[in-house]
Amino acid sequence: MMQILILGSGGREHALAWKISQSPRCSRLFIAPGNAGTSLVGENVDLSPGNFEAVEQFVLKHRVDMVVVGPEDPLVQGIGDYFAERPALQDVLLVGPRKAGAMLEGSKAFAKEFMRRHEIPTAAYRSFTRETVEQGKAFLTSLAAPYVLKADGLAAGKGVIICLSLEEAFATLEDMLLQDRFGQASATVVVEEFLHGIELSVFAITDGVSYRMLPSAKDYKRVGEKDTGPNTGGMGAVSPVPFAGKEFMDKVEKRIVNPTIEGLQMEGIPYCGFLFFGLMNVGGNPYVIEYNVRLGDPETEAIIPRIQSDFVSLLEAAAKGTLHEQTVEVSSAFATTVMLVSGGYPGEYEKGFMVTGLDKAEGSHLFFAGMKGDGMQPLTSGGRVLAITSLAPTLEEALRQTYHNASVVDFRGKYYRRDIGKDL
Ligand code: AMP
Ligand code: GLY
């Protein structure tokens, strides 16, 4: 039996908490800081995941056996190293990579160089700094439109700019490098070739030597229907991905997942936790758009309900290096997730509105994201408010159920995309 602490506060963490709380191996579950949904399946703790000393004190005081890190920030800040170095925490398991491994998400330039070293398919690219702006422009001139410019560091998911004209690309490059558009995160900018294809999110859990594939998902990133408007954290997800059949997924494992895990080992980078491969399917061949060192949101809300194996055993095996002994059973059902968001998101929006109808939304999983307060009458507290997930034998049935409940739950300014999964 284990006492488990999850760090994070979004829909992803509610889905993780929901799954972990069902495990016979979990005796007590804490979520820090959690949200109104996680309080339904565990105990919320008022502490910040970025305050490692406070996390340590809590873990020791409450005899936590395992910490599961939801978002990337604490990982990139080095919570894994902190736990590895503190004598009092030697027996505490932590699911999440150390800083060196988290660089796969924390630095796009590092990720691109890593892929080059290990011959992992990705868009052609070069990195530039303040001193090499002119070379950057020359490289842009050698590419065809559209142009992809990426801030090297973490920029809350906003650091990728796609420019349609060369003039716009020049101006954006200067803005990022010379005017610090994303602060220190854009001190280095990766310029890369635009890949034409269809995107998907592929997940694995690893102990650094062995890995197990988790279900894949298609994420809908743009706020508007037919993929229009600004990028968001994600407006919905579907799993499995109909265009990622066995042949494609075999290529993904052979060309991308295996070489990534072998590359980490070869470079002496220990890695425990999740790997999230943001891929482009280009004419049947997978290319890496980005690595993340965590699960996706809202992909987690779609894939977790499909996993039938005991999740705590998987997490424990990843942390202990015994993943080769584990299997992952996945339901063949389709999962569809639609995000209800606050009107105006991802721009300015109001919050503090009562969420109604939660008790009437039957037949779906309700994973709370930006919701605070208690139980079944919470208030909106963020841009992404609620993930509604339904499972059914067909995509159509799962969508029908999800959209039914998307109309039942309500709050002032509610918005959601009505075309999730309709392109598949
Ligand atoms: P990222 O933050 O790296 O996921 O990038 C944000 C979005 O930009 C991705 O989800 C893609 O839709 C798009 N994108 C990034 N890199 C490329 C590329 N090389 N070619 C085409 N689209 C891209
Ligand atoms: N849904 C994409 C992400 O979590 O980054």
Side-chain angles (χ1 to χ4, degrees):
M1 292 294 267
M2 292 186 132
Q3 309 220 68
I4 300 173
L5 169 65
I6 300 174
L7 301 181
S9 62
R12 167 182 52 210
E13 285 75 24
H14 185 191
L16 284 170
W18 169 80
K19 182 74 179 162
I20 288 172
S21 71
Q22 292 165 26
S23 171
R25 312 221 30 245
C26 176
S27 55
R28 198 167 174 192
L29 177 62
F30 303 100
I31 309 94
N35 64 28
T38 58
S39 71
L40 300 172
V41 290
E43 299 166 55
N44 285 355
V45 184
D46 186 17
L47 69 89
S48 159
N51 184 345
F52 301 163
E53 285 86 12
V55 174
E56 175 182 19
Q57 277 167 21
F58 182 86
V59 162
L60 294 176
K61 180 161 177 225
H62 291 88
R63 299 175 191 279
V64 168
D65 302 295
M66 181 160 72
V67 178
V68 182
V69 186
E72 66 278 16
D73 268 323
L75 298 169
V76 175
Q77 300 304 326
I79 195 168
D81 307 76
Y82 184 92
F83 267 63
E85 285 155 14
R86 301 295 282 188
L89 295 173
Q90 289 312 301
D91 295 330
V92 180
L93 302 175
L94 183 122
V95 181
R98 298 209 214 163
K99 218 172 189 168
M103 285 285 280
L104 284 178
E105 177 165 0
S107 166
K108 297 211 188 271
F110 172 85
K112 294 296 278 192
E113 281 150 28
F114 178 89
M115 288 185 265
R116 175 142 70 190
R117 286 196 291 279
H118 301 289
E119 296 178 6
I120 295 166
T122 187
Y125 79 101
R126 279 180 59 192
S127 306
F128 302 97
T129 58
R130 185 175 274 271
E131 286 71 40
T132 54
V133 178
E134 292 310 315
Q135 285 99 309
K137 290 185 184 170
F139 181 63
L140 279 166
T141 310
S142 76
L143 298 173
Y147 306 92
V148 184
L149 287 84
K150 301 186 172 183
D152 174 57
L154 293 184
K158 298 188 174 69
V160 176
I161 313 275
I162 297 184
C163 303
L164 298 178
S165 72
L166 198 53
E167 293 68 46
E168 195 190 338
F170 281 8
T172 304
L173 185 69
E174 287 185 349
D175 201 25
M176 289 169 101
L177 289 175
L178 305 179
Q179 311 296 329
D180 299 329
R181 168 133 167 209
F182 298 104
Q184 197 46 38
S186 67
T188 298
V189 171
V190 170
V191 176
E192 67 179 42
E193 164 200 19
F194 186 89
L195 296 173
H196 294 270
I198 176 158
E199 278 182 78
L200 73 156
S201 305
V202 167
F203 300 96
I205 182 168
T206 181
D207 56 19
V209 178
S210 305
Y211 70 88
R212 290 291 177 263
M213 297 303 286
L214 300 175
S216 304
K218 166 116 180 62
D219 174 24
Y220 292 78
K221 285 206 171 93
R222 302 296 198 94
V223 74
E225 281 154 25
K226 301 211 167 72
D227 293 330
T228 53
N231 259 323
T232 70
M235 297 293 292
V238 169
S239 176
V241 183
F243 60 85
K246 182 171 179 342
E247 194 190 341
F248 179 79
M249 289 308 294
D250 283 348
K251 289 182 191 169
V252 170
E253 285 198 53
K254 184 158 170 278
R255 298 178 191 174
I256 293 169
V257 182
N258 262 306
T260 298
I261 288 165
E262 279 170 16
L264 288 166
Q265 264 181 280
M266 249 188 268
E267 297 190 16
I269 301 175
Y271 198 106
C272 146
F274 300 104
L275 272 167
F276 167 170
F277 306 85
L279 304 182
M280 189 76 88
N281 178 338
V282 182
N285 291 310
Y287 288 78
V288 178
I289 295 268
E290 63 165 352
Y291 284 114
N292 295 304
V293 299
R294 53 176 171 85
L295 290 175
D297 194 348
E299 292 95 325
T300 304
E301 292 93 305
I303 69 172
I304 284 284
R306 294 188 60 223
I307 297 175
Q308 292 169 322
S309 314
D310 180 51
F311 207 62
V312 171
S313 303
L314 275 177
L315 295 167
E316 184 183 7
K320 287 186 171 164
T322 56
L323 207 52
H324 59 277
E325 297 168 0
Q326 297 287 320
T327 53
V328 181
E329 302 297 331
V330 175
S331 154
S332 61
F334 276 88
T336 57
T337 300
V338 169
M339 268 285 176
L340 307 187
V341 307
S342 300
Y345 171 82
E348 303 234 323
Y349 55 84
E350 286 184 72
K351 49 193 184 185
F353 299 129
M354 179 115 60
V355 182
T356 59
L358 292 165
D359 51 336
K360 298 193 184 63
E362 288 168 357
S364 298
H365 300 290
L366 304 179
F367 295 123
F368 294 19
M371 280 202 236
K372 64 170 192 199
D374 268 331
M376 296 306 272
Q377 288 239 318
L379 303 176
T380 64
S381 64
R384 294 195 292 175
V385 173
L386 176 70
I388 302 180
T389 298
S390 310
L391 269 71
T394 66
L395 182 57
E396 293 68 28
E397 282 168 79
L399 284 170
R400 202 178 314 122
Q401 183 65 25
T402 293
Y403 276 116
H404 170 71
N405 284 323
S407 71
V408 168
V409 178
D410 205 14
F411 53 89
R412 198 187 301 169
K414 174 181 78 169
Y415 168 78
Y416 56 96
R417 271 180 68 166
R418 284 156 208 272
D419 66 340
I420 303 300
K422 303 270 162 79
D423 56 330
L424 295 171

